């Protein structure tokens, strides 16, 4: 809301007419009307008395603390697009800049309108295109320096792409260093920068590490889906998800024997399949003791290996006690708790 709209709304809340407000402040009713229409503003000496009369504060009266909603930001973006389509890019650009002047501290609005203007610029033949590109870049920089973390990172991503296009590698690296490590696009942008700087091995190592992270995330997602299938007693779907987990880990050269057995044990336990569960527990306990080195897989040939770890064949054997304790207490395996073979199997592994 603009100041005039706020004055009108607060006046009506206090059950005051324009004439009454004018009388109390010693101005004309016409002056009050102009304030409410945003034709003019109250004299600075009247602001404090006006705020007191309307039972509000100056920050509210002058819209200093006003926050724009996501819905309003979306509506403004649509209006800018409509103005570009129905009139011209220049008209849409001016409308966007007017809204930014109206809400100069709203990083999300600034960033959204910058992206909207960028998209419209790519789809049209526009005079002074380089001028508009430069102005949009200023908006990116402005939002990137704001306080909205999500918008900061999105704007920095756009700026990094531009810097890479212009071979301004130091500027790109500086922004990359400022971005949190968990930012979605950071590793892809860093790899692209290293490729541009002719450091392909560093780029490949980073992307291989990202691949492992992504596959681990995929495993957790598939396991969650498997657990939901079990909760819904959809054992056929649970079996298929367990197979999918095994194949996924095998495809990407990770610890598929263990992960696959864990997934299949979850599905078998849901069906209370005694023989299958006992076999899978044996497979799990065997897998955790056998050496496994993902570094030997062709997909991960560039990942850096510390000198202290080279030549070693890591296992998960140190986690066996924790694993056994988990199996003993698993409610999914409750139907086996009194089973002599189950008890003997776990006891044998702890001895």
């Amino acid at each position: 809301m603009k100041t005039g709209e706020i004055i009108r709304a607060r006046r009506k809340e206090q059950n005051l007419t324009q004439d009454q407000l004018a009388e109390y402040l010693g101005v004309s009713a016409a002056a009050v009307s102009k304030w409410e229409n945003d034709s003019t503003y109250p004299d600075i000496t009247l602001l404090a008395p006006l705020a007191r009369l309307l039972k509000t504060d100056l920050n509210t009266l002058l819209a200093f603390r006003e926050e724009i909603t996501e819905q309003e930001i979306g509506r403004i973006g649509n209006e800018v697009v409509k103005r570009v389509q129905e009139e011209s890019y220049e008209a849409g650009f001016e409308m966007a800049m007017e809204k930014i002047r109206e809400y100069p501290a709203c990083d999300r609005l600034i960033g959204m309108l910058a992206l909207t203007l960028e998209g419209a610029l790519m789809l049209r033949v526009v005079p002074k295109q380089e001028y508009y590109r430069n102005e949009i870049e200023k908006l990116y920089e402005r939002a990137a320096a704001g306080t909205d973390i999500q918008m900061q990172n999105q704007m920095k991503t756009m700026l990094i792409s531009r810097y890479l296009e212009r071979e301004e590698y130091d500027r790109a690296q500086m922004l990359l260093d400022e971005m949190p490590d968990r930012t979605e696009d950071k590793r892809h942008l860093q790899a692209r920068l290293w490729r541009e700087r002719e450091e392909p091995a560093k780029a490949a190592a980073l992307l291989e590490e990202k691949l492992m992270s992504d596959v681990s995330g995929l495993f957790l997602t598939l396991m969650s889906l498997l657990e939901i299938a079990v909760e819904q007693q959809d054992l056929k779907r649970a079996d298929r998800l367990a197979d999918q987990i095994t194949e996924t880990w095998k495809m990407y050269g990770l610890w598929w024997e263990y992960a696959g057995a864990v997934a299949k044990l979850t599905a078998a336990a849901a069906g209370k399949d005694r023989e299958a569960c006992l076999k899978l527990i044996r497979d799990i306990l065997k897998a955790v003791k056998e050496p496994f080195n993902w570094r030997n897989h062709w997909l991960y040939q560039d990942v850096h290996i510390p000198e202290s770890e080279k030549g070693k064949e890591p296992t998960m054997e140190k986690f066996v006690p924790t694993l056994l304790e988990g199996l003993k207490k698993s409610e999914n395996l409750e139907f086996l708790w009194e089973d002599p073979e189950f008890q003997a199997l776990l006891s044998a592994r702890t001895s």
Side-chain angles (χ1 to χ4, degrees), residues 14-258:
Q14 301 305 315
N15 295 315
L16 295 171
T17 65
Q18 287 186 346
D19 288 336
Q20 288 173 318
L21 189 64
E23 181 184 351
Y24 296 156
L25 293 172
V27 298
S28 67
V32 174
S33 178
K34 289 180 179 179
W35 297 346
E36 293 186 355
N37 290 325
D38 285 305
S39 299
T40 61
Y41 292 95
D43 186 273
I44 192 170
T45 60
L46 294 174
L47 290 177
L50 177 59
R52 286 193 290 270
L53 187 57
L54 297 177
K55 296 186 174 160
T56 187
D57 57 80
L58 287 177
N59 285 323
T60 301
L61 183 66
L62 299 176
F64 287 159
R65 292 181 181 171
E66 181 180 5
E67 293 183 2
I68 186 170
T69 66
E70 290 289 338
Q71 290 78 9
E72 289 175 304
I73 291 173
R75 177 182 56 77
I76 291 171
N78 291 335
E79 289 175 357
V80 168
V81 171
K82 185 176 180 181
R83 185 69 63 87
V84 170
Q85 293 172 339
E86 294 182 352
E87 297 183 31
S88 66
Y89 184 85
E90 182 179 8
F93 181 85
E94 287 303 320
M95 180 182 183
M97 297 307 294
E98 181 182 342
K99 290 297 182 181
I100 289 172
R101 286 189 289 271
E102 188 175 345
Y103 301 99
C106 185
D107 302 332
R108 192 164 290 275
L109 176 68
I110 295 169
M112 186 279 293
L113 288 178
L115 293 169
T116 300
L117 292 170
E118 177 93 74
L121 191 63
M122 294 172 63
L123 298 173
R124 305 175 75 87
V125 177
V126 179
K128 303 191 300 181
Q129 189 164 27
E130 194 58 31
Y131 164 78
Y132 289 119
R133 279 182 58 84
N134 290 336
E135 292 301 305
I136 291 169
E137 188 165 319
K138 291 177 184 177
L139 294 179
Y140 287 151
E141 291 170 348
R142 186 168 161 183
T147 57
D148 187 307
I149 301 300
Q150 182 179 357
M151 187 55 66
Q152 268 188 23
N153 293 329
Q154 192 172 0
M155 295 297 97
K156 287 176 181 178
T157 296
M158 298 302 295
L159 287 168
I160 290 167
S161 294
R162 289 199 170 199
Y163 295 160
L164 290 175
E165 289 173 8
R166 300 199 296 258
E167 299 184 4
E168 297 176 9
Y169 300 138
D170 290 341
R171 294 184 74 185
Q173 187 63 67
M174 181 179 67
L175 282 187
L176 275 167
D177 292 341
E178 293 176 0
M179 295 173 70
D181 290 336
R182 292 187 178 183
T183 305
E184 181 66 25
D185 296 325
K186 180 172 182 176
R187 282 185 283 192
H188 282 298
L189 288 168
Q190 183 66 72
R192 179 180 168 189
L193 174 57
W194 278 333
R195 290 171 63 196
E196 294 281 353
R197 283 185 154 171
E198 299 184 357
E199 297 181 272
K202 290 174 70 174
L206 182 64
L207 293 175
E208 288 167 16
E209 290 171 2
K210 185 179 187 309
L211 177 60
M212 286 190 290
S213 176
D214 290 345
V215 175
S216 296
L218 179 58
F219 168 72
L220 294 175
T221 300
L222 289 171
M223 277 299 297
S224 295
L225 287 172
L226 190 157
E227 290 164 2
I228 291 172
V230 168
E231 291 168 4
Q232 295 176 331
Q233 297 185 334
D234 188 346
L235 301 187
K236 182 177 180 181
R237 177 174 169 80
D239 285 335
R240 294 184 66 181
L241 283 163
D243 290 339
Q244 186 68 55
I245 289 169
T246 304
E247 291 304 312
T248 298
W249 278 63
K250 185 176 183 180
M251 179 187 302
Y252 290 103
L254 296 177
W255 200 10
W256 64 272
E257 294 93 341
Y258 173 80

Side-chain angles (χ1 to χ4, degrees), residues 285 289 317 320-321 324 328 343-351:
L285 294 172
K289 298 198 73 173
E317 190 167 3
V320 169
L324 291 171
K328 288 179 181 178
Q343 291 294 336
L345 182 60
L346 300 187
S347 298
R349 302 299 298 197
T350 57
S351 58

